[in-house]
Amino acid sequence: MARYDRAITVFSPDGHLFQVEYALEAVRKGNAAVGVRGSDTVVLGVEKKSTPKLQDSRTVRKIVSLDTHIALACAGLKADARVLINRARIECQSHRLTVEDPVTVEYITRYIAGLQQKYTQSGGVRPFGLSTLIVGFDPHSEKPALYQTDPSGTFSAWKANATGRNSNSMREFLEKNYKETSGKETIKLAIRALLEVVESGGKNIEIAVMTHKDGLRQLEEAEIDEYVAEIEAEKAAAEAAKKGGGASTSASS
Amino acid sequence: MLLLVFGLSFLSFFPSLSLSQHFAPTRTKPHHRISVSLNLKQRKQREEKRRMMMKLDTSGLESFSAAVPSAMAAAEDQLFAPPSFDLPAGCADFDKFQMEAKQTLKHAKGTTTLAFIFNQGVIVAADSRASMGGYISSQSVKKIIEINPYMLGTMAGGAADCQFWHRNLGIKCRLHELANKRRISVTGASKLLANILYSYRGMGLSIGTMIAGWDEKGPGLYYVDSEGGRLKGNRFSVGSGSPYAYGVLDNGYRPDMTVEEAHELARRAIYHATFRDGASGGVVSVYHVGPNGWKKLSGDDVSELHYKYYPVQPTPVEHEMVDAPPA
């Protein structure tokens, strides 16, 4: 038993925790995920790799709910995600029992981040190989919130963020194009960010929308296709406007 | 070592099992012995002791009837019998005795505290007497504990238990504030306390407390006790004087009272309980919890209140005493 006490995550001479950095590498190889916070809506989007023909796609949900008012998407090792999500769900219910109040988004993020940090400072375990994007509405202030955690156990709040494959380009896009949005505009912003790095089409994107009133709703493929079509049209119009010098505003087919 | 406990009688007699042996060490006549189950080692030690005692020269203790013929034996039994007395109550079955003792202490949360919610917030009131059986150990105990600037707790049962656990609750509430950047709700605070008390259930804690406060949802009032129970409510009274306080409180309660009316109602209810219940008395403290926190409204001595409510009527003299007229 003594052999398993030795910590796997130890400092390097120049102050790095290599295991944590390797975990971040694993995250960078995971599928792309994006989250956008609007004034009354929060949107999570995940890249969906093409499902094999015989696989039942309903069992590979990438965006999950932790409670009726909190949802989570992640990038990285899916098996680690399952463990973390189960613990978070238990904590949500336990909090409801002990203080008779639903969790705030910040509380559950802090819990998940704390869990991830614990595994970087224990013997015989490796860090969780995933970064999460947590969205939800606070039960009291009814304000939307978006948080991100990573394998080192740090967390912070964001207006919009991306993680996983090509997250840097997505984040750049978001930084350039972010503005306060609500409702459909928030959804379109999230889809546009994803489309930067993902093949276009409802088949390759999974989107979930959460409002304070209606909770979490996964968008159907057809709906996503509609949004994608709208976005393409807008893009084409913008191109035409640029080329035509502002004169023509007709949408091209 | 001052045992400041409300209504808990001070148990000072614990019988010693070896009492009987001092009085009749050498009598061969069997006398009453308590059947105590001993293990082998203890039994052997006892035998050893008995054997050693028998070796002592106890001729002086022998009654003179040993030399005298047995005609006197009968009379001697009565005259020179060692003083016998009933063994103290707890000896035969100490566990049963301890359970009974706990039971007699059950209703003796000798105090009166009350709290009620009305439109303008929460009123919390309590007396200030501490008693040990029939002895009044203090008339000036603070039974309303300030957990934090917007939450109060009342004390009934064991003073040490109440003080310690309320202070502990205050610490937990503060930690919650720091971690979550918002105040804990009265619901949450009472639940924290109730869960702690439940985990100590059966270990002898004696607490009957009310947690009153004002949080985002408005005024809150919960009753929490050491059995682990927790009740949400609008009106509570806890302690040996609570039936009397309930009488006045339930009669005069209206949800739309002003703060002054509610203040007077609480004061009257506690006064009445101190009037009828021997274990309550001292000073009536009344607090009000509003949206900005609690504020102490008054602290009146009950004897002064008595004469305020029932001023002395000058009784008409039936026959005036006059000096006998000078002859």
Side-chain angles (χ1 to χ4, degrees), chain A residues 195 200 225-238 252:
Chain A
L195 287 178
S200 100
D225 281 331
E226 260 183 56
Y227 279 111
V228 172
E230 258 186 69
I231 292 170
E232 307 265 288
E234 277 172 14
K235 235 200 280 190
S252 57

Side-chain angles (χ1 to χ4, degrees), chain A residues 88-101 103:
Chain A
R89 283 173 171 164
I90 291 173
E91 180 61 23
C92 285
Q93 297 312 308
S94 173
H95 186 272
R96 273 181 191 262
L97 280 178
T98 44
V99 293
E100 294 192 1
D101 233 359
V103 292

Side-chain angles (χ1 to χ4, degrees), chain A residues 97-100 107 110 140, chain B residues 179-180 182 187 191 216 230:
Chain A
L97 280 178
T98 44
V99 293
E100 294 192 1
Y107 179 91
R110 202 165 3 111
H140 300 277
Chain B
N180 296 294
R182 55 196 304 265
T187 313
K191 196 104 186 219
E216 279 178 7
R230 174 174 166 267

Side-chain angles (χ1 to χ4, degrees), chain B residues 137-166:
Chain B
S137 40
S138 171
Q139 289 272 61
S140 54
V141 179
K142 262 188 73 139
K143 295 191 189 178
I144 297 182
I145 301 165
E146 298 141 9
I147 297 171
N148 61 39
Y150 61 98
M151 241 195 289
L152 294 173
T154 59
M155 194 198 277
D161 289 342
C162 287
Q163 275 179 5
F164 178 85
W165 288 110
H166 276 125

